[in-house]
Amino acid sequence: MTWCGQLPTLNGFGKWFAFLLTLGLILGCGRNRPQDSEDDHLRVAVTIPPQKWIVEKIGGDRIMCHVLIPAQNDPHTFMGTDSDGAKLARCRVFFTIGLPIENAPWCQAILRSRNMMVVALEEKENHDGRDEEGDHEHSHDEALPGHHHATAEEEHGHEHGLHTWLSPRRLIQHAEKVAEALSRIDPPNAAQYQENLARTRAELQELDRELSTQLEPLRGETFFVFHPAWECFAEDYGLFQQAVEVQGKDPSDREMTDLQRKARQTKLGVILVQPQFSSQAAKAIAEVTGLQVISVNPLAEDVPAELRRVAEVLLSAYRETMVEREP
């Protein structure tokens, strides 16, 4: 059974009744169970696989992590299953990242009924349009009344600051928030979480230095993507991403012509696509311009490995272009 993003209408009274019944069973079971498993793991939930990587780096073998959105699904439209609801109801803390599933009625009902700690890892925008860090740990009742999660349409139209897990510098901020939250709900193991944080911070700082050195020759260049997932990565290393997708839709004929013109000018002869989205428009541009279509996965759990792979893809494309243009 898959949850709907909105509550059923009166015309679907049977579905509405089933929704309430299933949700009641989930919450009832959650109240009758300990929130931690019998082997004393601390149960936590995250929205996407990359968050699991950072949470497990900090929590180590103390935690058991449930991921709401599997890596092969479109994170903007996936709304969860009854199994997700049952697992979420048993968790002590939910680390959000700013995706629609976090604001789905079933998810909010579970969070409120369990009075679960909700920690926002995403960046928000203040009234001046500038990015702010997400809230630190807080109870659901404190956070959600004014905690806006954009709809899929809003996110496709304005995604700056959404894909923060693809930036080693922002991942350090995520790690700090995770360590702070775990230390608060599990004080006896706070020292271990802080030790894990120190190691993770050093690892991500080294990754950032590595990528900065590797991508320095590409500074100021533009690379093509189908879905605009790499804005934070590009910002960190002085690059620009050119998205083929426009507000969640394939480009118009006029936009396609303009994209083809820009594609012929780039020094990075690739278009990055991802398994969660159809990429026919990207392939059409590649056929006309000679760019190579490369599949990368911004939802890969092993974030450092995927960032290194993307950097190598871009650098290789740049080197090939420079060789071709030599007199």
Side-chain angles (χ1 to χ4, degrees):
M1 169 181 172
T2 301
W3 297 115
C4 297
Q6 298 179 347
L7 293 178
T9 64
L10 292 177
N11 292 331
F13 179 78
K15 293 182 179 179
W16 168 229
F17 178 78
F19 176 88
L20 289 178
L21 179 61
T22 305
L23 184 59
L25 289 172
I26 288 173
L27 298 182
C29 291
R31 290 191 184 96
N32 295 327
R33 289 177 170 177
Q35 287 181 315
D36 298 339
S37 63
E38 294 180 358
D39 59 1
D40 202 33
H41 280 99
L42 182 66
R43 291 182 178 271
V44 304
V46 298
T47 311
I48 54 175
Q51 291 175 282
K52 183 174 186 283
W53 181 84
I54 197 70
V55 169
E56 289 186 340
K57 292 291 289 187
I58 304 303
D61 58 9
R62 278 286 305 132
I63 68 166
M64 182 177 295
C65 185
H66 171 59
V67 181
L68 291 187
I69 305 178
Q72 69 271 21
N73 288 276
D74 179 350
H76 303 286
T77 59
F78 183 79
M79 294 310 296
T81 67
D82 51 355
S83 175
D84 292 320
K87 291 176 182 177
L88 179 61
R90 299 183 65 188
C91 291
R92 292 281 301 279
V93 58
F94 182 27
F95 295 100
T96 66
I97 202 66
L99 288 167
I101 192 174
E102 299 160 3
N103 208 39
W106 68 267
C107 185
Q108 296 234 7
I110 291 172
L111 297 180
R112 287 196 174 95
S113 71
R114 304 297 291 161
N115 195 30
M116 192 180 301
M117 178 186 288
V118 179
V119 181
L121 301 185
E122 69 267 25
E123 293 178 353
K124 302 177 184 178
E125 288 191 351
N126 63 21
H127 295 297
D128 297 324
R130 295 170 297 173
D131 288 334
E132 295 178 336
E133 292 184 11
D135 293 341
H136 286 260
E137 70 284 338
H138 40 255
S139 72
H140 184 71
D141 290 338
E142 292 172 335
L144 282 181
H147 185 70
H148 172 69
H149 288 293
T151 64
E153 290 76 17
E154 289 173 323
E155 286 168 355
H156 277 235
H158 183 205
E159 294 199 320
H160 181 77
L162 174 61
H163 306 88
T164 50
W165 64 89
L166 297 175
S167 159
R169 300 170 193 178
R170 290 171 171 88
L171 271 178
I172 292 174
Q173 297 173 3
H174 293 193
E176 291 168 349
K177 293 178 185 179
V178 171
E180 186 175 354
L182 295 181
S183 297
R184 174 174 245 186
I185 62 179
D186 185 21
N189 291 288
Q192 184 61 55
Y193 298 139
Q194 293 303 317
E195 291 177 9
N196 293 344
L197 171 62
R199 285 193 291 269
T200 303
R201 183 188 289 116
E203 179 181 344
L204 290 170
Q205 288 172 339
E206 176 58 32
L207 173 63
D208 182 42
R209 286 190 291 268
E210 176 187 330
L211 295 176
S212 294
T213 300
Q214 188 176 15
L215 295 172
E216 179 61 30
L218 279 59
R219 184 168 290 274
E221 298 296 340
T222 297
F223 63 98
F224 274 70
V225 300
F226 176 71
H227 180 72
W230 299 91
E231 76 283 357
C232 294
F233 176 85
E235 184 178 299
D236 278 358
Y237 305 112
L239 303 171
F240 300 94
Q241 71 166 1
Q242 174 64 63
V244 172
E245 181 188 65
V246 180
Q247 295 185 339
K249 300 177 181 179
D250 285 346
S252 65
D253 291 343
R254 181 176 180 179
E255 290 165 339
M256 179 69 83
T257 299
D258 187 53
L259 287 169
Q260 290 171 349
R261 177 183 59 81
K262 293 178 180 178
R264 292 188 182 96
Q265 298 171 350
T266 183
K267 295 178 182 178
L268 306 178
V270 294
I271 297 181
L272 303 183
V273 299
Q274 62 189 79
Q276 295 82 17
F277 299 99
S278 172
S279 54
Q280 292 304 313
K283 293 175 181 177
I285 291 175
E287 290 176 1
V288 173
T289 61
L291 300 186
Q292 185 178 4
V293 177
I294 302 291
S295 180
V296 296
N297 189 4
L299 294 183
E301 183 176 325
D302 190 342
V303 185
E306 195 65 14
L307 293 182
R308 288 187 172 98
R309 178 170 176 265
V310 170
E312 184 57 40
V313 165
L314 295 179
L315 186 60
S316 295
Y318 177 77
R319 288 170 175 164
E320 289 178 8
T321 301
M322 292 299 97
V323 169
E324 291 174 357
R325 294 184 182 182
E326 287 180 356

